[in-house]
Amino acid sequence: MTLLDELNFGQNQAATTLEGPVLILAGAGTGKTRAITYRIAHLIEQGVHGAQILAVTFTNKAATQMKERVRDLLVRQGKTFDDPWIGTFHAFSAWLLRREAKRLGLPRDFKIYDADDQIATVKLALEHLNIKDPGEKIRGLLERISYAKNHAQSPAQTATEAVKHNDALGLTASKVYAEYEKILHKAAALDFDDLLLRAVQVLREFPEARTAWQTRFRYIHVDEYQDTNRVQYDLLRLLVNESRNLCVVGDEDQSIYRWRGADIGNILRFDEDYPGARVVRLEENYRSTQKILDAAAGVVSNNRRRLGKNLKATRSSGSNLAFFEGRDSKAEAEYTADRIRILHGDDPALHIAILYRTNAQSRSFEEALRARGMRYRMLGGFSFYQRAEVKDALAYARLATFPDDDIALLRVINTPPRGIGKTSIDALSAIAREHDISLWAAIEKMLDPAASGRSLAPLRDFRTLIETLQQELSASSPAAFLQSVLTRSGYLDMLLQRDNSEDTARADNLRELVNAMAEGDERGETLTDFLDHAALVSDADNFDEDALITLMTLHSAKGLEFDHVFLTGMEEGIFPHSRSQNDNEELEEERRLCYVGMTRAKQTLTLTRAVYRRMYGSERLTGSMPSRFLQEIPPELIDTAAGSLAEAGETRRYEPDPEYSYSEEEFSRRVKRIASPSRTASEAPSRPRSSASPRLGKQGANPLIGQRVRHAMYGAGTIVAVEGDEPERKFTVRFSDHGTKKLVEQYANLSWA
């Protein structure tokens, strides 16, 4: 059996179309990674040297998976081979620049500033400029700088534009940009944008370098091509040689990063950029049920800018989607948490996601899950390499490598505390600004042989420490060097002396960092290689695939899949976001984001919304309708869930009127309806009942304890005790906002939550 026998028709076409430009248009869940890895393996089987193959993607995790799959495929076939180059755009650019740094006047061991370093650099620039209130948040200034770089605008050009448009904030940002660049230059550092821009600069300005790299890579592959920006597009155009062996994989319906520069036009006009390109469609979906796919297609088909595809599920048709409309965000969250508990009651191993448009929506879901003792993970927390103690240790390593790195120096000059306070640091900064030198050079000036005084002793000790580490750097392996850093700096001893659980965990993290460096030693990595890896890690690389309940934004969910998905906040102004209301391109991106969220679901998909939300500290009607995306789902594919304010058949209720909402009278009627247990079966929206769901009636005390109920006045609560038998049975119920109440069942009008 050959490798190609394991592929479906579309994947086989993708893997065997080896020459010339190829666009693999891969719908959600159609096995695009499988197609591209088999293609690379097939190329090597056909005699192409691994070193002549390049594959770039957007996350380290995706790159690692691709490497492992290619290696496993070839080992399984008994092939000996050299590994192809597979990594992220940024990692590839850093790798190229390490080899071409001299052409640009860069040291080969230039530093890479990660997101935290960039923020610290903006803060330092503001300090140098004596700007205490720039009128914009630090991240906002950084976004302006990034935008300018990616549009080839120098600080001087941004200043000219700001003056022309009478933009005071823009003028401030241009000054910060200029100082930011000076700080980077002194530290011999590049930020994320610089990596791509400088790689393009090398290939564009040095024909001999361009020819060498084009000769090196005969076959180039790009994953998630719909997410490429202009600079990445230019990089690829410069790398592709006359044979035009460029294979890109993507899905225009999943282009959701316009806000960070992604240009959907790159994939839409691929056949214009590369005339004669072969287009291969992957349309067999291995993830979701057909009803989920049809519902998602119903939404995204309303976009004009798309190439189109018709996904067919290899699974069953599945059940209809569910829609729940709650009184407020708390009711929305409680419904979601209770449904998850029922789902896990049926199958504790299910992986479930709660998706939302903005991080601010997470609080009510966290509270509802915590109140029920349900464990969850949030994507977007600190990754290992973003932990303070890890960044501190790596800052020492950076400083030993290049002591003129002001950002690294400021991070560790008094960590652990060594008596170098703000007064000393301010004095160093003043000397550095006066002489236009680094802080390390300022220490040299401050410690002039003629200088004396006890206040200078800590600075002398710090200088001696860094000089000692510099000497050890060239004589030690990266792991041994880091051990020396932790010992000589007193950092590890500081944590162990504190003797509490948090600092013990931090010490464990540092030991794990040494282990990681030791593993890098075995792979032949240098300290610079390791620092590059640490700087280029992203949140998506740290997703915990074993977590049973995951909370995350829709953007973070890209590339992931779950057994059950709750897509929340389906309201105009929230999703689609309010800023898309008057911008058709923004609205189309919001629709693609909805498509991405819907197609994360494998078995079931539930969409929820709240009528009331707490806005800016006060509870009021959101003033918006249910999301227009609900209307775009074919009505036969979605049911209204039990307990919803919306009645059966109202899921698609949407009117293009910003003042549309329930009247107070209508809202009260609906709240009373869902709180009343006396409605007939025909009045209540139907829902599949889990075998684990409780039923009112003679069941004895034990099965009822722990069950959730809802009271018209007190809201949702949990039964903690049961006394007596029907018809006088009493429930003791703990309500989250009203404490514990004892209620007679026949008079309490309780309904099961």
Side-chain angles (χ1 to χ4, degrees), residues 549-575:
I549 304 174
T550 302
L551 278 64
M552 68 179 78
T553 65
L554 281 152
H555 283 99
S556 298
K558 177 84 180 326
L560 305 176
E561 60 181 36
F562 304 89
D563 297 308
H564 301 270
V565 167
F566 290 83
L567 185 48
T568 66
M570 298 295 292
E571 301 146 42
E572 289 290 301
I574 292 181
F575 192 37

Side-chain angles (χ1 to χ4, degrees), residues 647-668:
E647 295 174 348
E650 284 192 332
T651 300
R652 299 173 72 247
R653 179 172 51 81
Y654 167 81
E655 297 176 19
D657 177 0
E659 298 302 320
Y660 177 80
S661 63
Y662 291 126
S663 67
E664 288 187 21
E665 185 177 334
E666 175 64 9
F667 183 76
S668 297

